[in-house]
Protein backbone atom coordinates (compact mmCIF):
# COMPACT_ATOMS: atom_id res chain seq x y z
CA UNK A 1 0.00 0.00 0.00
CA UNK A 2 1.28 3.49 -0.80
CA UNK A 3 1.66 5.89 2.10
CA UNK A 4 -0.17 9.20 2.05
CA UNK A 5 1.08 12.72 1.95
CA UNK A 6 -1.68 14.94 3.30
CA UNK A 7 -1.35 18.49 2.03
CA UNK A 8 -3.28 20.88 4.26
CA UNK A 9 -4.24 23.89 2.17
CA UNK A 10 -5.85 27.14 3.25
CA UNK A 11 -5.13 30.82 3.70
CA UNK A 12 -2.94 32.07 6.53
CA UNK A 13 -5.05 31.77 9.68
CA UNK A 14 -7.21 28.93 8.34
CA UNK A 15 -5.94 26.63 11.11
CA UNK A 16 -3.53 24.43 9.14
CA UNK A 17 -1.01 24.33 11.99
CA UNK A 18 -3.60 23.41 14.62
CA UNK A 19 -5.01 20.62 12.47
CA UNK A 20 -1.58 19.32 11.44
CA UNK A 21 -0.64 19.06 15.13
CA UNK A 22 -3.84 17.15 15.92
CA UNK A 23 -3.21 14.76 13.02
CA UNK A 24 0.33 14.23 14.26
CA UNK A 25 -0.78 13.54 17.85
CA UNK A 26 -3.72 11.32 17.01
CA UNK A 27 -2.94 9.66 13.68
CA UNK A 28 0.83 9.55 14.03
CA UNK A 29 1.67 11.32 10.76
CA UNK A 30 4.46 13.88 11.37
CA UNK A 31 3.66 17.55 10.81
CA UNK A 32 6.00 19.27 8.38
CA UNK A 33 5.46 23.03 8.70
CA UNK A 34 7.71 25.03 6.38
CA UNK A 35 6.87 28.22 8.30
CA UNK A 36 8.06 26.64 11.58
CA UNK A 37 11.18 25.15 9.97
CA UNK A 38 12.09 28.54 8.45
CA UNK A 39 11.47 30.37 11.75
CA UNK A 40 13.78 27.90 13.54
CA UNK A 41 16.68 28.54 11.15
CA UNK A 42 19.42 30.92 12.27
CA UNK A 43 19.04 33.03 9.13
CA UNK A 44 18.34 36.78 9.36
CA UNK A 45 17.50 37.18 5.65
CA UNK A 46 14.90 34.40 5.84
CA UNK A 47 13.35 35.90 8.97
CA UNK A 48 13.07 39.34 7.41
CA UNK A 49 11.33 37.84 4.35
CA UNK A 50 8.95 36.03 6.70
CA UNK A 51 8.30 39.18 8.72
CA UNK A 52 7.48 41.06 5.48
CA UNK A 53 4.65 38.67 4.60
CA UNK A 54 6.27 37.66 1.30
CA UNK A 55 7.40 34.18 0.29
CA UNK A 56 10.86 32.66 0.65
CA UNK A 57 12.36 31.33 -2.63
CA UNK A 58 10.90 28.13 -4.06
CA UNK A 59 14.28 26.38 -4.42
CA UNK A 60 15.18 26.97 -0.81
CA UNK A 61 11.88 25.75 0.60
CA UNK A 62 11.72 22.72 -1.67
CA UNK A 63 15.18 21.62 -0.48
CA UNK A 64 14.06 21.95 3.15
CA UNK A 65 11.04 19.75 2.49
CA UNK A 66 13.13 17.21 0.60
CA UNK A 67 15.61 16.95 3.49
CA UNK A 68 12.99 16.86 6.22
CA UNK A 69 10.85 14.21 4.55
CA UNK A 70 13.89 11.96 4.05
CA UNK A 71 13.81 11.31 7.81
CA UNK A 72 12.63 7.82 8.82
CA UNK A 73 9.61 9.26 10.70
CA UNK A 74 8.10 10.19 7.30
CA UNK A 75 8.26 6.64 5.94
CA UNK A 76 4.56 5.96 6.51
CA UNK A 77 3.41 9.35 5.26
CA UNK A 78 3.38 12.91 6.55
CA UNK A 79 1.31 16.08 6.73
CA UNK A 80 2.43 19.23 4.94
CA UNK A 81 1.36 22.51 6.49
CA UNK A 82 2.18 25.66 4.53
CA UNK A 83 3.67 23.86 1.52
CA UNK A 84 3.23 24.01 -1.45
CA UNK A 85 2.47 27.72 -1.73
CA UNK A 86 3.21 28.17 -5.44
CA UNK A 87 2.58 26.16 -8.59
CA UNK A 88 6.36 25.63 -8.91
CA UNK A 89 6.44 24.10 -5.44
CA UNK A 90 3.42 21.91 -6.25
CA UNK A 91 5.15 20.62 -9.39
CA UNK A 92 8.34 19.81 -7.50
CA UNK A 93 6.31 18.06 -4.83
CA UNK A 94 4.87 15.75 -7.49
CA UNK A 95 8.40 14.59 -8.31
CA UNK A 96 9.30 14.18 -4.66
CA UNK A 97 6.21 12.16 -3.72
CA UNK A 98 6.66 10.00 -6.86
CA UNK A 99 10.27 9.28 -5.84
CA UNK A 100 9.07 8.41 -2.35
CA UNK A 101 6.28 6.19 -3.71
CA UNK A 102 3.63 8.21 -1.89
CA UNK A 103 0.14 9.27 -2.89
CA UNK A 104 -0.85 12.89 -2.39
CA UNK A 105 -4.22 14.14 -1.12
CA UNK A 106 -4.94 17.82 -0.60
CA UNK A 107 -7.48 19.11 1.92
CA UNK A 108 -8.57 22.75 1.87
CA UNK A 109 -9.62 24.28 5.20
CA UNK A 110 -12.03 26.90 3.95
CA UNK A 111 -12.49 30.05 6.07
CA UNK A 112 -14.08 33.43 5.12
CA UNK A 113 -11.56 36.28 4.71
CA UNK A 114 -13.03 38.44 7.50
CA UNK A 115 -12.57 35.61 10.01
CA UNK A 116 -8.98 35.04 8.85
CA UNK A 117 -8.06 38.63 9.62
CA UNK A 118 -9.20 38.39 13.26
CA UNK A 119 -7.64 34.97 13.73
CA UNK A 120 -4.26 36.30 12.59
CA UNK A 121 -4.17 39.74 14.20
CA UNK A 122 -5.57 38.30 17.47
CA UNK A 123 -3.11 35.39 17.67
CA UNK A 124 -0.67 35.29 20.60
CA UNK A 125 1.82 32.57 21.50
CA UNK A 126 3.63 31.44 24.63
CA UNK A 127 7.37 31.51 23.90
CA UNK A 128 7.95 28.62 26.34
CA UNK A 129 5.41 25.96 25.38
CA UNK A 130 3.97 27.32 22.11
CA UNK A 131 0.45 27.41 23.57
CA UNK A 132 -1.67 29.49 21.23
CA UNK A 133 -4.31 32.04 22.24
CA UNK A 134 -6.44 34.58 20.46
CA UNK A 135 -7.46 37.89 21.99
CA UNK A 136 -10.86 37.72 20.21
CA UNK A 137 -11.70 33.99 20.30
CA UNK A 138 -9.58 32.36 23.03
CA UNK A 139 -8.09 34.92 25.42
CA UNK A 140 -5.77 33.85 28.24
CA UNK A 141 -7.21 34.08 31.79
CA UNK A 142 -4.86 36.96 32.71
CA UNK A 143 -4.23 39.67 30.14
CA UNK A 144 -1.37 38.61 27.81
CA UNK A 145 -0.04 35.94 30.23
CA UNK A 146 0.17 32.21 29.44
CA UNK A 147 -2.36 30.06 31.36
CA UNK A 148 0.10 27.17 31.58
CA UNK A 149 3.38 28.99 32.22
CA UNK A 150 2.85 31.36 35.14
CA UNK A 151 4.11 34.88 34.53
CA UNK A 152 5.26 34.27 30.94
CA UNK A 153 4.17 37.10 28.63
CA UNK A 154 2.60 36.07 25.34
CA UNK A 155 4.19 37.12 22.05
CA UNK A 156 2.78 38.18 18.72
CA UNK A 157 4.38 36.99 15.48
CA UNK A 158 5.94 39.85 13.51
CA UNK A 159 3.86 38.91 10.48
CA UNK A 160 0.58 38.91 12.44
CA UNK A 161 0.39 42.75 12.54
CA UNK A 162 -2.45 44.06 10.36
CA UNK A 163 -0.32 45.54 7.53
CA UNK A 164 1.60 42.25 7.19
CA UNK A 165 -1.60 40.23 7.38
CA UNK A 166 -2.92 42.12 4.36
CA UNK A 167 0.24 41.32 2.42
CA UNK A 168 0.03 37.63 3.39
CA UNK A 169 -3.60 37.33 2.35
CA UNK A 170 -2.85 39.02 -0.96
CA UNK A 171 0.17 36.75 -1.52
CA UNK A 172 -2.11 33.79 -0.84
CA UNK A 173 -4.71 35.01 -3.33
CA UNK A 174 -2.14 35.62 -6.04
CA UNK A 175 0.33 32.75 -5.61
CA UNK A 176 -1.26 29.97 -3.55
CA UNK A 177 -4.93 29.98 -4.61
CA UNK A 178 -3.91 28.72 -8.10
CA UNK A 179 -2.47 25.62 -6.39
CA UNK A 180 -6.02 24.76 -5.27
CA UNK A 181 -7.14 24.63 -8.91
CA UNK A 182 -4.10 22.53 -9.72
CA UNK A 183 -5.21 19.87 -7.20
CA UNK A 184 -8.89 20.28 -7.98
CA UNK A 185 -8.31 19.62 -11.68
CA UNK A 186 -6.58 16.34 -10.90
CA UNK A 187 -9.37 15.28 -8.51
CA UNK A 188 -7.18 15.39 -5.42
CA UNK A 189 -8.78 18.23 -3.48
CA UNK A 190 -11.26 17.80 -0.65
CA UNK A 191 -12.75 20.80 1.16
CA UNK A 192 -13.73 21.09 4.82
CA UNK A 193 -15.57 24.02 6.37
CA UNK A 194 -13.00 25.72 8.59
CA UNK A 195 -15.38 28.18 10.23
CA UNK A 196 -15.98 25.89 13.24
CA UNK A 197 -14.25 24.85 16.45
CA UNK A 198 -10.99 22.98 15.89
CA UNK A 199 -12.37 19.66 17.16
CA UNK A 200 -15.20 19.73 14.62
CA UNK A 201 -12.80 20.60 11.81
CA UNK A 202 -10.50 17.82 12.95
CA UNK A 203 -13.37 15.29 12.83
CA UNK A 204 -14.05 16.19 9.18
CA UNK A 205 -10.36 15.97 8.26
CA UNK A 206 -9.90 12.68 10.11
CA UNK A 207 -12.85 11.15 8.24
CA UNK A 208 -11.25 12.14 4.93
CA UNK A 209 -7.79 10.88 5.89
CA UNK A 210 -9.09 7.58 7.25
CA UNK A 211 -11.38 7.10 4.24
CA UNK A 212 -8.44 7.77 1.93
CA UNK A 213 -6.20 5.36 3.84
CA UNK A 214 -8.87 2.67 3.62
CA UNK A 215 -9.36 3.37 -0.09
CA UNK A 216 -5.58 3.17 -0.60
CA UNK A 217 -5.54 -0.32 0.92
CA UNK A 218 -8.21 -1.78 -1.34
P1 LIG B 1 3.34 30.25 7.97
O1 LIG B 1 3.89 29.95 9.32
O2 LIG B 1 2.98 29.00 7.20
O3 LIG B 1 2.21 31.26 7.99
O4 LIG B 1 4.53 30.92 7.12
C1 LIG B 1 5.09 32.14 7.53
C2 LIG B 1 6.01 32.67 6.43
O5 LIG B 1 7.05 31.73 6.17
C3 LIG B 1 5.38 32.93 5.08
O6 LIG B 1 4.71 34.18 5.03
C4 LIG B 1 6.60 32.89 4.18
O7 LIG B 1 7.40 34.06 4.32
C5 LIG B 1 7.39 31.74 4.78
N1 LIG B 1 6.98 30.45 4.20
C6 LIG B 1 6.39 29.39 4.84
N2 LIG B 1 6.15 28.38 4.00
C7 LIG B 1 6.59 28.79 2.78
C8 LIG B 1 6.60 28.19 1.49
N3 LIG B 1 6.09 26.98 1.28
N4 LIG B 1 7.13 28.92 0.46
C9 LIG B 1 7.66 30.14 0.66
N5 LIG B 1 7.66 30.77 1.84
C10 LIG B 1 7.14 30.10 2.90
Amino acid sequence: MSSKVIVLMGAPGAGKGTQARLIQERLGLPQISTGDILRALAAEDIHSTQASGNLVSDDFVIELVRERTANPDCRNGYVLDGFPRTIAQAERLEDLTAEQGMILEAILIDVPTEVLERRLTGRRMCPVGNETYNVYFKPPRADNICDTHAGVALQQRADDYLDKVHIRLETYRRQTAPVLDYYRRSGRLDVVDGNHQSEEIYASIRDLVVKEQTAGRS
Side-chain angles (χ1 to χ4, degrees):
M1 176 188 87
S2 296
S3 297
K4 295 277 179 184
V5 174
I6 306 295
V7 178
L8 287 186
M9 298 290 300
K16 300 185 294 296
T18 303
Q19 294 302 323
R21 273 188 294 279
L22 290 173
I23 295 172
Q24 171 169 283
E25 274 165 33
R26 298 176 189 181
L27 300 179
L29 294 176
Q31 171 198 19
I32 317 287
S33 158
T34 45
D36 286 349
I37 295 172
L38 291 164
R39 273 186 291 277
L41 294 176
E44 275 309 312
D45 54 333
I46 297 288
H47 295 171
S48 59
T49 304
Q50 287 191 289
S52 74
N54 294 306
L55 296 185
V56 173
S57 86
D58 287 335
D59 285 342
F60 190 79
V61 180
I62 288 159
E63 244 355 86
L64 286 180
V65 172
R66 178 178 286 280
E67 275 174 30
R68 174 63 187 85
T69 59
N71 283 3
D73 66 333
C74 292
R75 231 183 355 234
N76 297 322
Y78 50 91
V79 183
L80 289 170
D81 148 22
F83 181 92
R85 264 175 151 99
T86 63
I87 291 284
Q89 292 179 14
E91 287 171 350
R92 301 280 288 278
L93 180 62
E94 302 287 17
D95 298 338
L96 181 64
T97 49
E99 281 167 35
Q100 295 171 332
M102 305 244 183
I103 289 176
L104 183 153
E105 294 290 341
I107 300 176
L108 166 65
I109 306 174
D110 196 24
V111 177
T113 310
E114 59 278 10
V115 179
L116 294 171
E117 217 172 88
R118 296 190 110 204
R119 284 198 188 170
L120 291 165
T121 57
R123 179 159 64 177
R124 301 290 183 276
M125 256 96 59
C126 172
V128 176
N130 271 331
E131 289 83 359
T132 304
Y133 301 87
N134 187 291
V135 298
Y136 303 112
F137 306 119
K138 188 191 164 198
R141 284 193 294 271
D143 192 28
N144 211 45
I145 300 292
C146 182
D147 291 349
T148 310
H149 298 93
V152 176
L154 302 178
Q155 294 180 346
Q156 185 170 18
R157 261 170 57 171
D159 56 351
D160 280 344
Y161 291 98
L162 186 61
D163 55 335
K164 300 304 186 299
V165 164
H166 285 156
I167 296 172
R168 290 164 68 200
L169 292 175
E170 179 55 21
T171 303
Y172 176 79
R173 201 187 57 73
R174 243 181 327 109
Q175 291 183 270
T176 309
V179 179
L180 297 177
D181 289 329
Y182 177 90
Y183 288 134
R184 195 176 282 122
R185 275 198 303 272
S186 50
R188 291 176 296 170
L189 184 74
D190 283 305
V191 181
V192 298
D193 183 351
N195 200 12
H196 291 290
Q197 298 297 316
S198 54
E199 284 296 336
E200 282 173 74
I201 302 168
Y202 173 73
S204 311
I205 293 178
R206 182 205 52 216
D207 288 351
L208 288 169
V209 172
V210 171
K211 181 194 83 196
E212 282 157 4
Q213 277 176 340
T214 311
R217 260 196 290 277
S218 61

